[in-house]
Amino acid sequence: MATQYEISGTTAKGITRSVEQRVSEGTLAPGAALPPVRRLAEELGVSAGTVATAYKELRRRGIVVTLGRGGTVVAEAPSVASRRPPKVPEGLRDLAGGHPDPALLPALVPPSRLSPGVRSHRSTPRLARLEDAVRTWLGADGVPVEQVTFAHGALDFVGRVLSVELRPGDAVAMEDPGYHHLLDLVGALGLRSVPVAVDDEGMRPEELRGALRAGVRAVVLSPRAQNPFGGTFSRARRDALAEVLREAPDVLVVENDHASEVSGVPLRTLAGAGLARWAHVRTVSKFLGTDLRWAAVACDPLTLARHDGRLLLTSGWVSHLLQETVYGLLTDEGTQELVSRARTAYAGRRTALAKALAGRGVPVHGASGLNLWVPVRDESAVVNGLRSRGWWVAAGARFRLASAPGVRITTADLEPSEADRLASDFAAVLDESEATYGG
């Protein structure tokens, strides 16, 4: 056994399994170097080819990466240990989770009409009335609704469609900073993330053009409430992105409208903007309930066929009980009124903190959604400094590929009356951090 690295095995599969277990346990942390192929082969008493095969499989699965002369190291977000947030210390005000305010979510009541007995729904995977409601819902925002389908959430759809469309080693253009679970998912599929910088209007067109020239085969982006930056497409930005994407008709574009009804801004969608391959994904977890793992999807015919074909071979369909629950909530007047109140409340809370921070000279981003992104020089210093003052915010490392440091603050349940105190504490922590760096 290679005791220094705690790697064992006499076959490629055994070595792969050993490394995966060490990474999952945390013994091999992100960035940890694996031994050179020949050294590990000597220590384990196997051929160099056996170790090389194991390392190749680990790279394919997104557990390790090769850095040329830097050797083979554990990936920053290995597929067996995603970028889970640290546990919130007891007694702190949690502003790191990215979750909606529970007080602004409707009560989830199972439908009174349950599925009659044990039978397959493969012949009718989607409830017709929910499909009609989805067409009305998405169509009102200008999304083409000729082809619609359902999934078990946005991540479920993205993972399934990318696994069908792409092969390990293919590249995907991803927002930077971006949603950490999506970044982890791409790596877990054995795909490469190509960072595309974002600003207050979403992905930057020239950065996206560069990613397309680099050979990406898919693009995943948010039209509004971009997580964590909060960007939202302006009409001009949407048109500019569409122009760039039309230059690459074979590239699949996935538009993730995760906050939709509570984003606080209108949708300016790329769907229907002359793209050949596209999908618009919309979830309900931010405004109907985090346990409702359901997503509506509108897409081009080929994407629909490929997604539904793979769905048929796995879960088969999205639970009709779940569909009944979603339909009841989407069409309930009381729920619609609650969602409207939530939309107003979230916008007010986000704006209150943004103004309080800006008033103290702290630059901040968050044009829509439930979060603010604050650029900082030292994420750890800011997170720990705010912790000492009773606040818990998210370090930006989980969300970044190549972008500059920052922290994410979830404002979903931060009352406007709390904004001044948090902003004052934030400014004080930044002053302390700047003093540490000498200005």
Side-chain angles (χ1 to χ4, degrees):
M1 176 187 293
T3 55
Q4 180 181 356
Y5 303 94
E6 298 184 350
I7 298 173
S8 61
T10 57
T11 65
K13 288 184 178 179
I15 296 169
T16 299
R17 185 165 53 249
S18 175
V19 172
E20 181 176 354
Q21 181 178 349
R22 301 298 178 267
V23 173
S24 179
E25 294 171 345
T27 307
L28 285 171
L34 271 62
V37 169
R38 293 190 179 279
R39 183 191 306 170
L40 182 59
E42 292 175 1
E43 294 179 353
L44 296 178
V46 301
S47 70
T50 297
V51 176
T53 299
Y55 280 16
K56 181 179 180 180
E57 174 65 12
L58 290 166
R59 285 195 299 273
R60 185 189 71 79
R61 294 172 52 198
I63 297 173
V64 304
V65 295
T66 299
L67 304 177
R69 293 184 178 181
T72 299
V73 302
V74 178
E76 286 301 317
S79 58
V80 295
S82 65
R83 308 178 209 204
R84 296 180 179 89
K87 185 177 180 180
V88 180
E90 187 175 350
L92 296 189
R93 184 77 161 82
D94 182 11
L95 303 177
H99 305 302
D101 184 349
L104 294 173
L105 296 175
L108 297 184
V109 180
S112 58
R113 291 187 348 178
L114 303 182
S115 294
V118 179
R119 63 185 180 86
S120 172
H121 293 302
R122 291 178 187 270
S123 59
T124 54
R126 295 182 293 277
L127 294 178
R129 55 185 172 279
L130 180 55
E131 196 169 333
D132 289 341
V134 163
R135 285 195 163 92
T136 299
W137 182 31
L138 301 185
D141 287 327
V143 178
V145 291
E146 287 79 8
Q147 293 87 27
V148 299
T149 189
F150 304 156
H152 301 93
L155 287 170
D156 176 71
F157 173 79
V158 173
R160 186 176 294 111
V161 76
L162 290 184
S163 69
V164 175
E165 293 276 347
L166 278 61
R167 296 291 177 266
D170 286 344
V172 183
M174 301 293 292
E175 296 168 327
D176 186 25
Y179 182 39
H180 57 97
H181 286 309
L182 274 173
L183 298 176
D184 295 343
L185 175 61
V186 168
L189 294 173
L191 306 172
R192 295 184 295 110
S193 289
V194 175
V196 178
V198 301
D199 58 25
D200 292 327
E201 296 182 70
M203 266 193 180
R204 297 179 180 175
E206 287 307 310
E207 297 269 357
L208 176 58
R209 180 173 277 113
L212 293 172
R213 288 173 176 168
V216 300
R217 294 196 54 204
V219 179
V220 182
L221 76 177
S222 302
R224 52 183 173 178
Q226 194 275 340
N227 187 3
F229 213 82
T232 179
F233 289 172
S234 65
R235 288 188 177 87
R237 175 61 56 86
R238 185 267 316 278
D239 293 345
L241 289 172
E243 181 179 353
V244 170
L245 289 166
R246 284 193 292 267
E247 299 171 4
D250 294 330
V251 172
L252 174 64
V253 180
V254 180
E255 187 175 72
N256 179 19
D257 191 21
H258 68 99
S260 62
E261 297 303 296
V262 291
S263 62
V265 293
L267 174 68
R268 298 182 178 98
T269 179
L270 286 165
L275 307 185
R277 301 297 316 284
W278 62 275
H280 177 91
V281 188
R282 188 175 293 188
T283 54
V284 296
S285 58
K286 296 299 184 188
F287 63 94
L288 293 185
T290 54
D291 269 340
L292 293 178
R293 311 313 299 169
W294 175 87
V297 183
C299 54
D300 68 86
L302 182 56
T303 300
L304 178 77
R306 289 178 173 176
H307 171 268
D308 284 9
R310 181 59 60 89
L311 178 66
L312 182 66
L313 295 172
T314 52
S315 60
W317 64 88
V318 175
S319 163
H320 278 206
L321 297 181
L322 176 57
Q323 292 187 47
E324 290 276 12
T325 302
V326 171
Y327 175 78
L329 291 170
L330 282 179
T331 57
D332 177 67
E333 291 185 3
T335 299
Q336 293 174 5
E337 292 175 359
L338 179 60
V339 172
S340 179
R341 293 201 301 272
R343 184 186 307 117
T344 300
Y346 291 147
R349 294 168 185 178
R350 184 185 69 248
T351 301
L353 181 59
K355 287 183 176 180
L357 288 168
R360 290 165 174 80
V362 179
V364 61
H365 303 276
S368 58
L370 309 184
N371 306 293
L372 293 179
W373 178 261
V374 187
V376 298
R377 179 179 294 183
D378 186 331
E379 294 176 1
S380 296
V382 171
V383 170
N384 290 327
L386 289 173
R387 174 179 179 174
S388 69
R389 289 166 168 79
W391 307 100
W392 187 247
V393 302
R398 287 190 295 137
F399 308 92
R400 297 188 290 109
L401 291 170
S403 55
V407 296
R408 190 190 74 171
I409 306 174
T410 298
T411 59
D413 64 350
L414 182 75
E415 294 295 342
S417 58
E418 302 175 281
D420 278 335
R421 181 167 67 89
L422 173 55
S424 294
D425 287 343
F426 203 109
V429 168
L430 284 183
D431 287 343
E432 293 171 3
S433 176
E434 289 295 319
T436 300
Y437 278 101

